[in-house]
Amino acid sequence: QVQLVESGGGLVQAGGSLRLACAASGRTFSRYVMAWFRQAPGEEREFVAASSWTGDSTSYANSVKGRFTIDRDHAKNTVYLQMNSLTPEDTAVYYCAADSRRTIVGRTSGYYYWGQGTQVTVSS
């Protein structure tokens, strides 16, 4: 019983930062594993980051480690993706995903609920 809506995408220059937000509805939000995926034109949707139910366990794709940070605010029913040191290779549609799983997985098939996506474009 989760509905997800992403926001915060836009155009940014290389080296800049952007903060994405995923607003969730549903009383069981705090018990869901949350994740971010992205998909560039002509590419497969790829895993970016994920957070466990409590937020004490996180996972990141090697391509974004040290640059991106996932965090969640249970009071606001929102999960965020802070993106720093952006490069043109980060250009993609970013999707928020959620699942009732207890453990984090880095594949699209591991998540049942998905947002509509938000475009992130990084200029060189």
Side-chain angles (χ1 to χ4, degrees), residues 5 8 18 24 28 55 61 64-65 69 79-80 96-97 108-109 113 119:
V5 179
L18 206 60
T28 61
V64 305
K65 286 182 179 178
T69 302
V79 62
Y80 302 92
C96 178
T108 58
S109 60
Y113 299 98
Q119 177 70 48

Coordinates of all heavy atoms in Angstrom, one line a residue, residues 5 8 18 24 28 55 61 64-65 69 79-80 96-97 108-109 113 119:
V5 N 6.2 9.3 -5.4 CA 6.2 10.4 -6.3 C 7.6 11.1 -6.2 O 7.9 11.7 -5.1 CB 5.1 11.5 -6.1 CG1 5.2 12.6 -7.1 CG2 3.7 10.8 -6.2
G8 N 12.5 17.0 -7.7 CA 13.8 17.6 -7.5 C 14.8 17.5 -8.7 O 15.9 18.0 -8.7
L18 N 22.6 18.1 -6.7 CA 21.2 18.1 -6.8 C 20.6 17.1 -5.7 O 21.3 16.1 -5.4 CB 20.8 17.6 -8.2 CG 19.4 18.0 -8.8 CD1 19.3 19.5 -8.9 CD2 19.2 17.4 -10.2
A24 N 6.3 9.4 -0.2 CA 5.5 8.1 -0.1 C 4.3 8.3 0.7 O 4.2 9.0 1.7 CB 6.4 7.0 0.5
T28 N 2.6 1.9 6.1 CA 3.7 1.0 6.3 C 5.0 1.4 5.7 O 5.9 0.6 5.6 CB 3.3 -0.4 5.7 OG1 3.1 -0.3 4.3 CG2 2.1 -1.0 6.3
G55 N 17.2 2.4 8.2 CA 18.2 3.4 7.7 C 19.6 3.1 8.2 O 20.5 3.9 7.8
A61 N 25.8 1.8 -5.6 CA 26.5 1.4 -6.8 C 27.9 1.9 -6.8 O 28.2 3.0 -6.3 CB 25.8 1.8 -8.1
V64 N 28.6 5.6 -7.9 CA 28.2 6.7 -7.2 C 28.7 6.8 -5.8 O 28.5 7.8 -5.0 CB 26.7 6.8 -7.1 CG1 26.1 6.8 -8.5 CG2 26.1 5.7 -6.3
K65 N 29.5 5.8 -5.3 CA 30.0 5.8 -4.0 C 30.9 7.0 -3.7 O 31.7 7.3 -4.6 CB 30.9 4.5 -3.7 CG 30.0 3.2 -3.6 CD 30.9 2.0 -3.3 CE 30.1 0.8 -3.1 NZ 30.9 -0.4 -2.8
T69 N 24.3 10.2 -1.6 CA 23.9 9.7 -0.2 C 22.4 9.6 -0.2 O 21.7 10.5 -0.6 CB 24.4 10.7 0.8 OG1 25.8 10.9 0.8 CG2 24.0 10.2 2.2
V79 N 12.0 9.9 1.2 CA 13.4 9.4 1.1 C 14.1 10.3 0.1 O 13.5 10.8 -0.9 CB 13.4 7.9 0.6 CG1 12.8 7.8 -0.8 CG2 14.9 7.4 0.5
Y80 N 15.4 10.6 0.4 CA 16.1 11.6 -0.4 C 17.3 10.9 -1.1 O 17.9 9.9 -0.6 CB 16.6 12.8 0.4 CG 15.5 13.5 1.1 CD1 15.1 13.2 2.4 CD2 14.9 14.6 0.5 CE1 14.1 13.9 3.0 CE2 13.8 15.3 1.1 CZ 13.4 14.9 2.4 OH 12.4 15.6 3.0
C96 N 12.3 6.2 -8.0 CA 12.3 5.7 -6.6 C 11.5 4.4 -6.6 O 10.6 4.2 -7.3 CB 11.5 6.8 -5.8 SG 11.3 6.4 -4.0
A97 N 12.0 3.5 -5.7 CA 11.4 2.2 -5.6 C 11.2 1.8 -4.1 O 12.0 2.2 -3.3 CB 12.2 1.1 -6.4
T108 N 16.0 -4.6 -10.3 CA 14.6 -4.0 -10.4 C 13.5 -5.0 -10.0 O 12.5 -4.6 -9.5 CB 14.4 -3.6 -11.9 OG1 14.5 -4.7 -12.8 CG2 15.4 -2.5 -12.3
S109 N 13.8 -6.3 -10.2 CA 12.8 -7.3 -9.9 C 12.5 -7.4 -8.4 O 11.6 -8.1 -8.0 CB 13.1 -8.7 -10.5 OG 14.4 -9.1 -10.0
Y113 N 6.9 -1.5 -5.8 CA 6.4 -0.2 -6.0 C 7.4 0.7 -6.6 O 8.5 0.7 -6.3 CB 5.9 0.4 -4.6 CG 4.8 -0.4 -3.9 CD1 5.2 -1.2 -2.9 CD2 3.5 -0.2 -4.3 CE1 4.2 -2.0 -2.3 CE2 2.5 -0.9 -3.6 CZ 2.9 -1.8 -2.6 OH 1.9 -2.5 -2.0
Q119 N 13.6 13.5 -14.3 CA 14.8 13.7 -15.2 C 15.9 14.5 -14.5 O 15.7 15.6 -14.0 CB 14.3 14.4 -16.5 CG 15.5 14.7 -17.5 CD 16.0 13.4 -18.1 OE1 15.2 12.6 -18.6 NE2 17.3 13.3 -18.1

